[in-house]
Amino acid sequence: GGFMADQEQLLRLRSGVKEWNQWRDNNPSAIIDLTYASLSRANLDYVNLSDADLSHANLEAAEVWEANLSGANLSGASLNEASIVNTDLSRANLTGASIMLAFLQGVYLAKADLNGADLTGAILTQANLSEADLSYADLVQTNLSHANLNDATLVGADLTEANLTSADLTGANLDGCIIFGISAWDVRLDGAIQTNLRITSDFEPEITVDNLEVAQFLYLMLHNEKIRAVLETITSKVVLILGRFSDERKPVLDALRAALREHPNQYVPVLFDFDLPAGRHILETVGLLAGLARFVIADITDPSMIRVELREIAPRLPSVPIQPLLLDSAAPMAEFPLYEDYPWVLPLYRYKDLPQLLAALNDVIAPAEQRIRMRLLR
């Protein structure tokens, strides 16, 4: 298409949605080239622009939401570097669309479907995305400052280095988001689901937490010694759960985390998954997280799991009780005599199955809390 839209297609589109959609139905294999097209002030609700190339197109509205694409089908379309300011795209289908570096300030995307869309580097300041579906969307370096994301679904979205300053995420679902390097000052999170937020980049072992503010704070802690020094004076509620979270182990650790979160003591559980071989850097990270923790729970059921790591970590943390857990059906552990060497490594707690472990949660954490009390008395 060079630098110009297909003029014939552009005229056809301007002549009305009904005729256009009919033509698309009759010519399903036609390649739609609307690059650099100017469609500002067009009324295109429910238009079929699936798989169309609208890169660099201008869909701006001078007055708010004057250009109308509500309910439009833009699935698989390319809107890279398009200008879509103030446009009404409510209920539009943008699944799998490529919207990289597009300018979408103030755009109205309420109830729009952006599942799997690529919005890398797009500007969505003051956009309305209430009840929009952004599941698994690529929001790397996307600017969502002052955006309305009420009740939006962001499950599994990649928010690496995204800007969410002053965004409203009331009731939003952020389960499983990657939030490494996110900027989230002054964010509203009332009623938001914030489980399994990943605070590490692709090149580090996965560390997940359950709260956006805790996430930012933990990340600062891991990278800022002064803040750590201040915090050593604050009694900690963090409980570090160590494990290798294979598919069969993960439900146990997730349930344990939920139970700790709902415990009267209001613990702040942090999961550390040893899915990578533990080099020096990883052991230091774990040592640091463990040093912040009130106590550590280590599930050592997986035989290849964290026994080496625990042997490394335990000697450095005389003030942090470590409670090893072992599923009864697992092989006996003759080669784990750590608690004989280090009194703060508590006797192994064997559990029969998940319901029994959760029912006995207070018995599991009692030795650790007892040890903390004794230390405070000394």
Short mmCIF file of all heavy atoms in Angstrom, two decimals, residues 196 206 208 244-257 271 273:
data_model
loop_
_atom_site.label_atom_id
_atom_site.label_comp_id
_atom_site.label_asym_id
_atom_site.label_seq_id
_atom_site.Cartn_x
_atom_site.Cartn_y
_atom_site.Cartn_z
N ASN A 196 -0.78 -13.67 42.67
CA ASN A 196 0.28 -14.17 41.75
C ASN A 196 0.92 -13.08 40.90
O ASN A 196 1.20 -13.30 39.73
CB ASN A 196 -0.28 -15.23 40.78
CG ASN A 196 -0.84 -16.43 41.53
OD1 ASN A 196 -0.18 -16.94 42.42
ND2 ASN A 196 -2.03 -16.84 41.18
N GLU A 206 11.19 -16.97 39.38
CA GLU A 206 9.93 -16.30 39.60
C GLU A 206 9.69 -16.00 41.08
O GLU A 206 9.74 -16.89 41.91
CB GLU A 206 8.81 -17.21 39.08
CG GLU A 206 7.63 -16.44 38.58
CD GLU A 206 6.65 -17.33 37.82
OE1 GLU A 206 7.04 -17.89 36.78
OE2 GLU A 206 5.52 -17.45 38.29
N THR A 208 6.60 -14.30 43.26
CA THR A 208 5.24 -13.76 43.13
C THR A 208 4.74 -13.30 44.49
O THR A 208 5.04 -13.91 45.52
CB THR A 208 4.26 -14.81 42.56
OG1 THR A 208 4.35 -16.00 43.36
CG2 THR A 208 4.58 -15.14 41.12
N ARG A 244 9.71 -26.07 45.20
CA ARG A 244 9.81 -26.16 43.74
C ARG A 244 8.40 -26.49 43.27
O ARG A 244 7.88 -27.55 43.56
CB ARG A 244 10.81 -27.23 43.31
CG ARG A 244 10.90 -27.29 41.80
CD ARG A 244 12.10 -28.11 41.34
NE ARG A 244 13.33 -27.34 41.38
CZ ARG A 244 14.47 -27.79 41.87
NH1 ARG A 244 14.56 -29.01 42.35
NH2 ARG A 244 15.56 -27.04 41.85
N PHE A 245 7.79 -25.55 42.54
CA PHE A 245 6.35 -25.62 42.39
C PHE A 245 5.96 -26.35 41.11
O PHE A 245 5.50 -25.75 40.16
CB PHE A 245 5.74 -24.23 42.46
CG PHE A 245 6.14 -23.50 43.71
CD1 PHE A 245 6.19 -22.12 43.76
CD2 PHE A 245 6.50 -24.20 44.86
CE1 PHE A 245 6.57 -21.44 44.91
CE2 PHE A 245 6.88 -23.54 46.02
CZ PHE A 245 6.92 -22.16 46.04
N SER A 246 6.17 -27.64 41.12
CA SER A 246 5.70 -28.47 40.01
C SER A 246 4.17 -28.44 40.02
O SER A 246 3.56 -28.00 40.98
CB SER A 246 6.20 -29.90 40.21
OG SER A 246 5.73 -30.39 41.45
N ASP A 247 3.56 -28.94 38.94
CA ASP A 247 2.09 -28.87 38.84
C ASP A 247 1.40 -29.52 40.03
O ASP A 247 0.35 -29.06 40.46
CB ASP A 247 1.63 -29.54 37.53
CG ASP A 247 2.05 -28.72 36.32
OD1 ASP A 247 2.44 -27.55 36.53
OD2 ASP A 247 1.99 -29.23 35.20
N GLU A 248 2.00 -30.60 40.56
CA GLU A 248 1.30 -31.26 41.66
C GLU A 248 1.57 -30.56 43.00
O GLU A 248 0.76 -30.62 43.91
CB GLU A 248 1.66 -32.74 41.73
CG GLU A 248 2.94 -33.06 42.47
CD GLU A 248 3.61 -34.33 41.94
OE1 GLU A 248 4.10 -34.30 40.80
OE2 GLU A 248 3.63 -35.31 42.68
N ARG A 249 2.72 -29.85 43.12
CA ARG A 249 3.02 -29.17 44.38
C ARG A 249 2.35 -27.80 44.47
O ARG A 249 2.08 -27.31 45.55
CB ARG A 249 4.55 -28.95 44.55
CG ARG A 249 5.40 -30.18 44.46
CD ARG A 249 5.07 -31.24 45.51
NE ARG A 249 5.03 -30.74 46.86
CZ ARG A 249 4.14 -31.13 47.76
NH1 ARG A 249 3.22 -32.03 47.44
NH2 ARG A 249 4.16 -30.65 48.98
N LYS A 250 2.09 -27.18 43.32
CA LYS A 250 1.62 -25.79 43.32
C LYS A 250 0.31 -25.60 44.09
O LYS A 250 0.20 -24.66 44.88
CB LYS A 250 1.48 -25.31 41.86
CG LYS A 250 1.17 -23.83 41.71
CD LYS A 250 2.43 -22.99 41.59
CE LYS A 250 2.12 -21.56 41.16
NZ LYS A 250 1.98 -20.64 42.28
N PRO A 251 -0.70 -26.47 43.92
CA PRO A 251 -1.95 -26.27 44.67
C PRO A 251 -1.72 -26.26 46.19
O PRO A 251 -2.38 -25.51 46.91
CB PRO A 251 -2.82 -27.47 44.26
CG PRO A 251 -2.25 -27.93 42.97
CD PRO A 251 -0.80 -27.61 43.00
N VAL A 252 -0.79 -27.10 46.66
CA VAL A 252 -0.50 -27.15 48.11
C VAL A 252 0.04 -25.80 48.56
O VAL A 252 -0.40 -25.23 49.56
CB VAL A 252 0.54 -28.26 48.42
CG1 VAL A 252 0.91 -28.25 49.90
CG2 VAL A 252 -0.03 -29.62 48.01
N LEU A 253 1.00 -25.27 47.80
CA LEU A 253 1.64 -24.02 48.22
C LEU A 253 0.68 -22.84 48.08
O LEU A 253 0.66 -21.93 48.91
CB LEU A 253 2.92 -23.81 47.42
CG LEU A 253 3.92 -24.92 47.81
CD1 LEU A 253 4.79 -25.31 46.63
CD2 LEU A 253 4.77 -24.52 48.98
N ASP A 254 -0.17 -22.87 47.05
CA ASP A 254 -1.17 -21.80 46.90
C ASP A 254 -2.17 -21.82 48.05
O ASP A 254 -2.54 -20.77 48.58
CB ASP A 254 -1.93 -21.95 45.57
CG ASP A 254 -1.11 -21.43 44.39
OD1 ASP A 254 -0.16 -20.65 44.62
OD2 ASP A 254 -1.41 -21.81 43.24
N ALA A 255 -2.62 -23.02 48.42
CA ALA A 255 -3.59 -23.14 49.52
C ALA A 255 -2.95 -22.69 50.83
O ALA A 255 -3.58 -22.02 51.65
CB ALA A 255 -4.08 -24.58 49.63
N LEU A 256 -1.68 -23.06 51.02
CA LEU A 256 -0.96 -22.67 52.24
C LEU A 256 -0.85 -21.15 52.30
O LEU A 256 -1.07 -20.52 53.33
CB LEU A 256 0.44 -23.30 52.19
CG LEU A 256 1.34 -23.12 53.42
CD1 LEU A 256 0.67 -23.69 54.65
CD2 LEU A 256 2.68 -23.81 53.19
N ARG A 257 -0.57 -20.56 51.15
CA ARG A 257 -0.45 -19.10 51.09
C ARG A 257 -1.77 -18.43 51.45
O ARG A 257 -1.82 -17.49 52.23
CB ARG A 257 0.00 -18.69 49.68
CG ARG A 257 -0.12 -17.21 49.43
CD ARG A 257 0.69 -16.77 48.25
NE ARG A 257 0.14 -17.25 46.99
CZ ARG A 257 0.59 -16.88 45.80
NH1 ARG A 257 1.61 -16.05 45.72
NH2 ARG A 257 0.06 -17.35 44.72
N LEU A 271 5.94 -16.17 47.92
CA LEU A 271 6.35 -17.48 47.38
C LEU A 271 7.63 -17.34 46.59
O LEU A 271 7.76 -16.44 45.77
CB LEU A 271 5.26 -17.98 46.41
CG LEU A 271 4.45 -19.19 46.85
CD1 LEU A 271 3.63 -18.84 48.06
CD2 LEU A 271 3.53 -19.63 45.73
N ASP A 273 9.86 -19.62 44.02
CA ASP A 273 9.87 -20.86 43.25
C ASP A 273 11.28 -21.13 42.72
O ASP A 273 11.81 -20.35 41.95
CB ASP A 273 8.89 -20.68 42.07
CG ASP A 273 8.73 -21.95 41.24
OD1 ASP A 273 9.54 -22.88 41.42
OD2 ASP A 273 7.81 -21.99 40.42
#
